[in-house]
């Protein structure tokens, strides 16, 4: 290797580190997306979730295992989805509270600088779609030489409509012919329709997709210059934080002065003079509303997009999603959205879907649990779902992941009958521990200490039938929990 | 008692026999009403079903136990609803096929003439509502003297709107002042809106509610005169028919010439010269469409009628029904109907609900089981409902009525775990019969003959967990069935 080759190899990293922002909890796509099961974890086509698709499109020879940033209470769900998608996360940074993208990215960059110095970060929101992944990868390859020269590169999506819900990036029209990567002239806020139309006509404006490529150390330099408070806070958060398996908890309440939520666009991009943009056509959308889902779907001859057991009679311009075994039939409607999933139904005029968040807020105020929760409750060891209930009994389907172990516990007011329907359970009842195989059952009387674990290599599915006079989740006395919890099932 | 008093007592029956027409299977109120669970068996306010309300409004000192006419495959459901409502049916006549109201009433009248001679019949559709029951009873009392004189009395509802979905009854306006019961001048078909408006304005037209009061023998005389084929057929059907507990099966395929479906209005009422009408205001409706349900409901300040966990945001003039634990939220809509019950959702323009039947027909053609079936499957011994399922297991909630007994059976491809959650089960597995109490379980391996019964006084609720590679209902070998079935669970 010549000196010159060595120097180029040092400048160009071996691979790119995907840094996936997975902290959102938007309600604009309720009821498919809920506070406890946000949009990025949902599937919009019956296949992998948006997060899983995001991970998948940043894998392959060009990429290292991903770093993710998410909320504490989503950690197992995020980890499980990434692993179920076939990837092993490098690290999952757990935010104790959401502070928007600038603090989150500052912590991620600091973690990389401390633990994996010299890496290039590809910042990806976890809840977007990109139809043309080769175009995306080609844009990344075009950006890399600029990144090696210290640029902060953003990806500018060539607008296909005068969308008023996105920010825009302006460039000097002359510069567009100079090469694939162009210096940014200006970041522009979400425009009015008039302005958006002018932007699209000009050819010099691109949608700001929130996707960035830069060296972690370059970003830290910029944030230290333009938002020194955040930089100091992030440095303290990472140096004072602690690992917990694949998880990393920053010391968020650290010695640096407290900081306010702020986006990376405001804090860094609009101020930095190192920012360049790669214009790209890649079939991108942020799936920001049901209308967006409708417009990206295949339509029948009347402009309807139908999913699941949906029948649209004399209906036009509508999106109808029937989840699970639910049937949805529409009659004599125009431009509506009907989404029926997991115990909740939204019926909205299509031009009003931007207000779905307000509807969810109003539902929440009525105390309706369907506002925030789906029927599947996620736990560190797996999940459960109540499938039937009455005054004196309740049935649940319990799924325990391979290696998962529930806490040692007892209930005062209910007995439990367990039937293993798939996989193998390791059951402890009182002093006795035994294996329970498919099509075998056992009984745990009220007041008996018991524990359930999956010692096998495949998920354990178990049907639990609870009998008793009080069936609340809070009738639990916990003795020992491998996940360090005191109050969860 | 004087001779004159004796003669009056002979002419006036001791009580009135309600004859309830319970054979309809309309789909205009899908998804609450389905082919296998028709409208009259459904509740529209969370309380008793329309049938139960019909039975209740024809009970008390004025009335004998009801006679019902229904379809063979609804028999247990009808009997159970009547009994659960606290009534004991005098007889349930089972039609092997629906032939509209004239043949049904001819059979009912013939059965009464043969088995309970001299009775007065009150003919009631089972799927209507009457808000003002005292007004209804007062109208019956007014009609009775005319019935004693041989009249066929119908009840004419004073119209509150120019409804084009009802037939009308015309009377001579002069006659209206002569007394509460007026001779009918003419039966009029469902009119155009113009005509209906003129009818309402005239004050001489009443809605034909399909409610009649007459002596069985008088009706048989009229039908013999105006539809002799039906009279002969009904006489042979009843004389050749057979009782089966509370059920009676007419010999429908009898020696008389075959007959065609025809309504009692066409066959008798329009032709008989004995027909009189009692005009009455009693808050009557046939609940013929979702629009009718909407207009009869309490409305909020925006004209919305909401049931269950329903939230209407910027919505007006709409009906929203959220069944069970389902949440429904609407946004930015006007004059729509949303009904979400038991795995099916209808969303319709309110002025299009008369076409719901066509939607159900289209759904049926796609093979969607939600077109005809709800999740609860009714059986002679009770009911069952699948509450969860996957490739290799299925859970059901099984309810066995007191005294109910399933067939002795075996399954080749599945094992069953039974947990009693309420009541007591008598279980036979192989050669052994034993009682299973609340919170006790048992196991039936594939290939083992077994039987379940409820020997107790309260309903038995049992959770069944099936494990196996094939879980279809047709994996059943039946050995002995108290209900004489060969192919049902």
């Amino acid at each position: 290797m010549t000196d010159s080759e060595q120097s180029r190899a040092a400048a160009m990293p071996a691979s790119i580190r995907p840094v996936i922002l997975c902290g959102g909890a938007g309600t604009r796509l309720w009821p498919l997306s809920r506070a406890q099961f946000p949009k990025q974890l949902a599937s919009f086509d019956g296949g992998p979730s948006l997060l899983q698709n995001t991970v998948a499109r940043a894998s392959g020879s060009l990429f290292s295992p991903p770093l993710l940033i998410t909320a504490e209470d989503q950690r197992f769900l995020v980890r499980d989805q990434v692993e179920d998608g076939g990837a092993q996360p490098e690290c999952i940074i757990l935010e104790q509270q959401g502070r928007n993208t600038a603090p989150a990215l500052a912590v991620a960059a600091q973690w990389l600088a401390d633990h994996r110095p010299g890496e290039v970060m590809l910042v990806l929101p976890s809840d977007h779609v990109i139809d043309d992944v080769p175009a995306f990868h080609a844009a990344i390859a075009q950006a890399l030489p600029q990144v090696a020269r210290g640029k902060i590169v953003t990806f500018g999506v060539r607008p296909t409509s005068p969308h008023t819900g996105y920010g825009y990036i302006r460039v000097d029209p002359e510069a567009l012919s100079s090469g694939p990567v162009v210096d940014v002239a200006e970041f522009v806020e979400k425009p009015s329709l008039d302005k958006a139309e002018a932007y699209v006509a000009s050819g010099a404006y691109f949608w700001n997709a929130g996707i960035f490529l830069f060296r972690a150390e370059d970003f830290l330099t910029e944030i230290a210059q333009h938002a020194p408070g955040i930089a100091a806070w992030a440095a303290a958060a990472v140096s004072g934080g602690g690992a917990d398996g694949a998880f990393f908890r920053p010391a968020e309440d650290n010695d640096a002065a407290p900081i306010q939520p702020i986006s990376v666009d405001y804090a860094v991009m609009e101020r930095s003079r190192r920012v360049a943009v790669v214009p790209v056509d890649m079939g991108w959308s942020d799936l920001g509303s049901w209308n967006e889902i409708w417009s990206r779907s295949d339509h029948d001859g009347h402009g309807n997009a139908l999913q699941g057991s949906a029948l649209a009679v004399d209906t036009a311009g509508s999106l109808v999603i029937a989840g699970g075994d639910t049937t949805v039939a529409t009659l004599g409607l125009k431009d509506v959205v009907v989404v029926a999933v997991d115990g909740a139904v939204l019926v909205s005029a299509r031009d009003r879907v931007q207000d779905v968040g307000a509807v969810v807020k109003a539902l929440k105020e009525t105390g309706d649990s369907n506002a925030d929760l789906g029927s599947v409750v996620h736990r560190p060891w797996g999940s459960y779902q109540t499938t039937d209930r009455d005054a004196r009994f309740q049935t649940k389907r319990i799924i325990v992941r391979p290696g998962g172990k529930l806490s040692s516990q007892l209930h005062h007011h209910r007995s439990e009958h367990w039937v293993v329907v798939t996989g193998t359970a390791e059951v402890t009842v009182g002093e006795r521990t035994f294996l329970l195989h498919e099509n075998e059952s056992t009984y745990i009387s009220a007041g008996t200490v018991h524990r359930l674990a999956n010692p096998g290599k495949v998920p354990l599915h178990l049907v639990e039938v609870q009998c008793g006079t009080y069936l609340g989740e809070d009738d639990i006395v916990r003795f020992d929990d491998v996940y360090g919890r005191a109050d969860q099932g």
Side-chain angles (χ1 to χ4, degrees), chain A residues 230-299:
Chain A
I230 293 175
W233 173 88
V238 172
S239 69
D244 170 16
F247 301 116
F248 179 84
R249 286 189 186 80
E252 296 202 19
D253 185 17
N254 59 46
D255 291 340
I259 54 162
Q260 294 302 311
I262 183 169
S263 78
V264 71
D265 299 284
Y266 286 119
V268 179
M269 301 302 161
E270 295 186 4
R271 303 173 188 178
S272 168
R273 270 173 270 169
R274 290 213 227 177
V275 183
V277 60
V278 185
V280 58
D281 292 314
M282 56 184 182
W284 171 88
S285 165
D286 75 344
L287 294 186
S289 71
W290 285 117
N291 191 45
E292 203 77 21
I293 308 277
W294 170 79
S295 74
R296 287 182 65 87
S297 302
D298 291 334
H299 294 159

Side-chain angles (χ1 to χ4, degrees), chain A residues 12-68:
Chain A
M12 291 286 284
S15 67
I16 296 168
R17 180 72 65 187
V19 172
I20 300 176
L21 293 163
C22 194
T27 53
R28 285 184 298 173
L29 296 182
W30 184 89
L32 194 55
S33 157
R34 305 190 194 184
Q36 294 304 310
F37 189 76
K39 177 184 160 198
Q40 60 270 21
L41 302 177
S43 161
F44 287 79
D45 58 4
S49 71
L50 297 182
L51 169 62
Q52 287 173 319
N53 283 335
T54 302
V55 171
R57 87 173 62 98
S59 54
S61 60
L62 205 58
F63 303 97
S64 315
L67 185 149
L68 296 104

Side-chain angles (χ1 to χ4, degrees), chain A residues 158-180:
Chain A
R158 207 177 302 275
T160 53
S161 71
H163 205 294
T164 57
Y166 299 145
Y168 285 71
I169 296 168
R170 181 169 70 80
V171 301
D172 177 356
E174 310 277 299
L176 278 172
S177 52
S178 66

Side-chain angles (χ1 to χ4, degrees), chain A residues 28 45 55-56 121 150 170 175 178 180 206 214 222 277 279 310 322-323 347 349 357 366 373 383 389 430 447 479 485:
Chain A
R28 285 184 298 173
D45 58 4
V55 171
M121 296 167 57
R170 181 169 70 80
S178 66
F206 302 92
F214 46 68
E222 290 305 289
V277 60
V347 186
T366 70
L373 300 175
S383 64
R389 66 178 168 190
F479 297 96
R485 302 163 307 153

Side-chain angles (χ1 to χ4, degrees), chain A residues 448-461:
Chain A
T448 304
V449 178
H450 57 280
R451 171 163 233 167
L452 174 65
N454 178 2
K457 300 294 181 198
V458 298
L460 162 67
H461 288 239

Side-chain angles (χ1 to χ4, degrees), chain A residues 205-225:
Chain A
Y205 287 78
F206 302 92
W207 289 338
N208 179 2
I211 304 173
F212 305 103
L213 192 73
F214 46 68
R215 283 196 302 224
E217 284 80 357
D218 291 336
F219 179 74
L220 289 173
T221 304
E222 290 305 289
I223 206 161
Q225 181 180 345

Side-chain angles (χ1 to χ4, degrees), chain A residues 212-401:
Chain A
F212 305 103
L213 192 73
F214 46 68
R215 283 196 302 224
E217 284 80 357
D218 291 336
F219 179 74
L220 289 173
T221 304
E222 290 305 289
I223 206 161
Q225 181 180 345
H226 300 293
I230 293 175
W233 173 88
V238 172
S239 69
D244 170 16
F247 301 116
F248 179 84
R249 286 189 186 80
E252 296 202 19
D253 185 17
N254 59 46
D255 291 340
I259 54 162
Q260 294 302 311
I262 183 169
S263 78
V264 71
D265 299 284
Y266 286 119
V268 179
M269 301 302 161
E270 295 186 4
R271 303 173 188 178
S272 168
R273 270 173 270 169
R274 290 213 227 177
V275 183
V277 60
V278 185
V280 58
D281 292 314
M282 56 184 182
W284 171 88
S285 165
D286 75 344
L287 294 186
S289 71
W290 285 117
N291 191 45
E292 203 77 21
I293 308 277
W294 170 79
S295 74
R296 287 182 65 87
S297 302
D298 291 334
H299 294 159
D300 67 15
H302 305 282
N304 299 311
L306 310 178
Q307 262 186 46
S309 300
L311 177 74
V313 178
D314 289 346
T315 296
S318 295
L319 173 69
V320 184
I321 297 180
D325 292 333
T326 302
T327 297
V328 179
T330 66
L331 171 62
L333 300 173
K334 194 165 182 300
D335 298 338
V336 299
V337 167
V338 182
V339 182
V341 289
D342 196 11
V345 183
L346 169 73
V347 186
S348 174
R350 191 155 58 72
D351 61 4
R352 290 296 306 280
V353 291
Q354 73 279 11
D355 297 329
V356 168
V359 171
V360 177
K361 192 158 170 280
L363 265 184
K364 213 166 158 176
E365 284 164 10
T366 70
D368 192 317
S369 67
N370 281 318
D372 280 355
L373 300 175
S375 64
V376 178
V377 179
H378 294 273
R379 290 288 185 246
W381 43 261
S383 64
Y384 70 83
Q385 182 174 20
T386 295
T387 51
D388 193 16
R389 66 178 168 190
D390 208 332
R392 294 174 64 83
F393 82 98
Q394 177 166 236
T395 62
K396 286 182 177 176
R397 185 209 292 219
I398 295 174
I399 302 177
V400 185
R401 298 175 63 84

